[in-house]
Amino acid sequence: MTLSNSTAPTSKPESTSNSTQQALLTASGLNKTVQVGEQSLSIIKDVSIYIDAGEFVVIMGKSGSGKSISVLSAAGLGPASARIDGTVALTIDGREQDLLSMPGSQLRRIRGRRLGFVFQDPGTSLNPMLTIGRQLTEGPEVHLGMSRTQSRKRALELLELVGIPDPERRLKSYPHELSGGMRQRIMIAVALACDPEVLIADEATTALDVTTQAQILDAIRDLQNRLGTATVWISHDLAVVGGIADEVVVMYGGEVLERAETVELFRSTQHPYTRGLFESRPHLGERVDQLTSIPGAPPEPRVPAESWPT
C-alpha cells in the first residue's frame, strides 16, 4: 500500500507496479485553492495519483470527497480563478510533459487526443444539436487530421466497438433519440475516438441500471485489454470497484487516505474510513435491519484535517 503525500516520487512506487518505468500519468502533490470572499480555501490537499499503461485505477469515496475535482484539476479543467499547485506529468512517446505548465492551446491538443473523458451525465455532455456521427468524427478530424471519409469509417468502427447496434443508422441519430445506456456508450466512443493514452471516467455508469452498467464496464475492460488504454475511474460504488479495479485510491475531505491493490484493499483495509465504507455496504444473503452508516458529513474546507472527528 502507498499513501500519497507531498514527497511522493515522480514515478510510481515499486510496491504498486511491476514495471520499473515511470508511470504513464503522474499527479504529484496536487493542491487546489479557491477564493471565497476574502478567504482562500483549500479543497484538495497533497493528492498524488499514479497510473501505468493498461492499468485500471479507481478513485473512490463519498460524494464531496474530492474525487472528481482532483482528477479534473490534473487535466487542467476547472474554474480559472482556482489556484493549482503541484506537478502533473503525462508520458508521451517516452517523454514526460508537465500538463500544469502548458499553455492553453497546447493543453487543448492534449485533451481528446491523449486524454479521453467520459462524464457522469451524457445528456449534458453530448451536443443536442449535432448528430452522433458529427460528434464522433470531429475529434479524429481535428486531432488526427483525418478526412471526412476516414473519420466516418472510424466512427462506425467505434460504434461497433462499444456495442451499438445498427451503427450506420445511429450515425444520423441525435442524442435525444437514444436511451441513456446508448448515450453513455456513445460518450465512451467519443472519448476513445483518438486512441487516448488515458481514459478518465467520472462516475460514468451511476445513473444506469445494473445490467447496462455491467455491459459498459465489460466493454471498457475489453477495449482496455485490446488498446492498452490506462483508465482512471471515479466511483463511490464498492461493487464496481471490486469487479474492475487493479488499484484503488480512497479519498475523503480532499485528501488521499489509502491506496492499495484491489485484492489487498478488500482483504486488509488500513484506514478507519475505508473500513467504514466496507462495513456500510449490503451483503447478499445477509439479512440486516439497518445498514451501518458513517456519521457526519465531509468536513468544511475551512476545517484542518487534524480537527476531523475520528
Side-chain angles (χ1 to χ4, degrees):
M1 180 190 74
T2 300
L3 299 184
S4 297
N5 53 53
S6 58
T7 58
T10 56
S11 60
K12 190 174 181 182
E14 290 182 6
S15 62
T16 58
S17 175
N18 295 324
S19 172
T20 59
Q21 298 180 350
Q22 289 181 314
L24 176 62
L25 179 67
T26 301
S28 182
L30 280 185
N31 292 276
K32 184 167 188 174
T33 56
V34 295
Q35 199 69 25
V36 180
E38 297 182 356
Q39 190 174 13
S40 182
L41 301 181
S42 178
I43 54 176
I44 59 173
K45 313 168 188 89
D46 236 0
V47 171
S48 296
I49 301 167
Y50 314 91
I51 184 167
D52 287 333
E55 189 176 25
F56 204 123
V57 172
V58 169
I59 302 176
M60 65 172 293
K62 66 195 301 184
S63 297
S65 61
K67 308 182 299 297
S68 300
I69 199 167
S70 296
V71 176
L72 297 181
S73 296
L77 296 172
S81 59
R83 175 180 172 180
I84 304 174
D85 298 310
T87 59
V88 180
L90 178 65
T91 302
I92 300 174
D93 300 326
R95 293 175 58 246
E96 276 194 354
Q97 300 194 29
D98 185 0
L99 299 186
L100 295 186
S101 65
M102 280 185 182
S105 58
Q106 187 178 355
L107 191 55
R108 283 191 292 273
R109 290 195 293 270
I110 294 291
R111 298 187 197 121
R113 174 63 187 95
R114 304 293 184 175
L115 298 173
F117 299 90
V118 184
F119 297 106
Q120 184 173 353
D121 183 7
T124 58
S125 301
L126 294 171
N127 190 326
M129 304 299 292
L130 298 178
T131 64
I132 298 303
R134 184 61 196 134
Q135 297 185 64
L136 278 168
T137 57
E138 182 179 19
E141 289 174 14
V142 171
H143 293 292
L144 304 180
M146 287 187 177
S147 66
R148 281 291 179 94
T149 301
Q150 290 172 324
S151 63
R152 187 179 187 280
K153 180 181 178 182
R154 172 70 171 157
L156 289 170
E157 292 172 349
L158 286 164
L159 291 181
E160 292 178 356
L161 203 62
V162 297
I164 296 292
D166 197 1
E168 284 277 2
R169 183 164 67 92
R170 292 307 177 190
L171 285 182
K172 302 173 185 177
S173 300
Y174 288 87
H176 72 272
E177 298 177 297
L178 306 178
S179 68
M182 291 182 74
R183 286 197 297 267
Q184 198 64 287
R185 288 171 184 262
I186 297 295
M187 275 301 304
I188 294 168
V190 171
L192 294 170
C194 298
D195 291 336
E197 280 84 354
V198 180
L199 175 67
I200 296 172
D202 185 1
E203 300 194 24
T205 60
T206 298
L208 305 177
D209 62 81
V210 291
T211 301
T212 306
Q213 279 188 22
Q215 291 171 346
I216 288 178
L217 290 170
D218 287 344
I220 290 179
R221 257 306 192 186
D222 181 57
L223 294 173
Q224 187 179 21
N225 292 334
R226 281 193 271 169
L227 303 177
T229 304
T231 303
V232 180
W233 191 276
I234 301 166
S235 179
H236 58 258
D237 190 332
L238 280 165
V240 170
V241 169
I244 63 174
D246 296 314
E247 292 188 354
V248 179
V249 177
V250 181
M251 291 193 66
Y252 180 80
E255 297 190 27
V256 173
L257 300 184
E258 185 169 356
R259 175 184 179 126
E261 294 182 358
T262 307
V263 173
E264 181 63 26
L265 187 79
F266 274 70
R267 181 188 299 129
S268 177
T269 59
Q270 299 297 310
H271 197 280
Y273 174 68
T274 311
R275 287 197 291 273
L277 290 177
F278 276 80
E279 290 169 1
S280 64
R281 60 180 174 150
H283 296 272
L284 288 176
E286 183 177 312
R287 184 174 179 177
V288 293
D289 295 326
Q290 185 175 352
L291 292 175
T292 302
S293 63
I294 300 174
E300 287 276 342
R302 300 176 180 85
V303 179
E306 55 269 21
S307 300
W308 296 355
T310 57

